[in-house]
Amino acid sequence: MKKLLFALLLTTMVPLSTFAVSLSELQTNTNRYTKVFEEYDYTVYVEDNTIQSLRYAPPYYTIKCTYYIAGYSSNYIFEIPSTFNYNYNRNKNHIFSTVIKSSTSDQIDKNLVNEAMINSGMQYGLTTYKYYNLAGDYLGDANSNKTGNCEPNSAPYAVANYLFEKCYNEKFAFDFQHN
């Protein structure tokens, strides 16, 4: 009986340790995790084997994946399964043609960002995410039920743009990230 209880205890612990992710794993396992965005206090990685195109119905597309945010100041890694929706009628070419018509040459960069802030053509949705410390110890789950526009210079924007390129071999939006 003790052996059976011990075996059951081990099988319930295996999934937690199997799916835990550490900062070291994100940084060194480059064939599985791709760095797509970085700021001074966090880095964003996409788990490439989770990318899945759910809808291909031009001009509408839907792609899902799991991505990670490693927050250095907070000592957390967030594992975020997300779905991204795209409206190709608001891709970078459309935004550029809209801006170029109404901008002087010195206003174009600023107006491109402003137009993408209004509607980048990319939206994200997430429900539940997991979080770990940087060493990879599982700390818990959180519910979010969050949706929104993927705004330039944000993690969702960078992830969405990366996913579209991986699935369809073209960037959906401009790369606005500053370094």
Side-chain angles (χ1 to χ4, degrees):
M1 184 65 168
K2 285 183 181 180
K3 287 182 182 181
L4 180 61
L5 288 174
F6 181 71
L8 287 173
L9 178 64
L10 282 179
T11 59
T12 59
M13 292 178 68
V14 169
L16 291 178
S17 62
T18 302
F19 297 107
V21 64
S22 68
L23 179 61
S24 175
E25 182 179 356
L26 291 171
Q27 292 173 331
T28 60
N29 199 349
T30 56
N31 60 335
R32 183 173 178 180
Y33 304 103
T34 300
K35 180 171 48 170
V36 297
F37 189 76
E38 189 162 35
E39 285 287 343
Y40 72 97
D41 62 342
Y42 69 94
T43 305
V44 180
Y45 300 87
V46 171
E47 186 174 2
D48 286 328
N49 64 359
T50 66
I51 299 171
Q52 182 182 3
S53 175
L54 299 178
R55 175 174 61 163
Y56 178 85
Y60 305 114
Y61 303 82
T62 302
I63 305 170
K64 76 175 187 174
C65 79
T66 298
Y67 72 96
Y68 298 83
I69 299 176
Y72 307 112
S73 302
S74 64
N75 192 37
Y76 286 127
I77 296 173
F78 298 98
E79 177 184 307
I80 307 169
S82 296
T83 303
F84 296 87
N85 295 301
Y86 304 81
N87 177 353
Y88 203 76
N89 292 329
R90 288 291 299 173
N91 74 346
K92 66 182 178 181
N93 298 330
H94 173 82
I95 290 175
F96 184 76
S97 66
T98 300
V99 167
I100 201 77
K101 292 175 189 173
S102 61
S103 302
T104 62
S105 60
D106 60 330
Q107 297 173 321
I108 290 175
D109 288 345
K110 178 183 161 201
N111 290 347
L112 284 173
V113 173
N114 289 341
E115 186 68 23
M117 289 291 285
I118 294 167
N119 179 358
S120 67
M122 304 181 294
Q123 293 187 325
Y124 68 92
L126 61 101
T127 53
T128 302
Y129 59 90
K130 296 178 182 177
Y131 55 101
Y132 309 87
N133 64 22
L134 294 179
D137 299 318
Y138 174 77
L139 301 174
D141 290 348
N143 293 320
S144 183
N145 252 356
K146 187 174 181 180
T147 61
N149 182 43
C150 296
E151 296 179 353
N153 285 321
S154 70
Y157 185 94
V159 171
N161 209 20
Y162 173 75
L163 295 177
F164 198 85
E165 184 176 25
K166 286 291 281 186
C167 288
Y168 305 115
N169 297 316
E170 70 173 288
K171 289 209 182 263
F172 185 89
F174 293 104
D175 285 325
F176 291 117
Q177 184 177 8
H178 52 82
N179 290 320

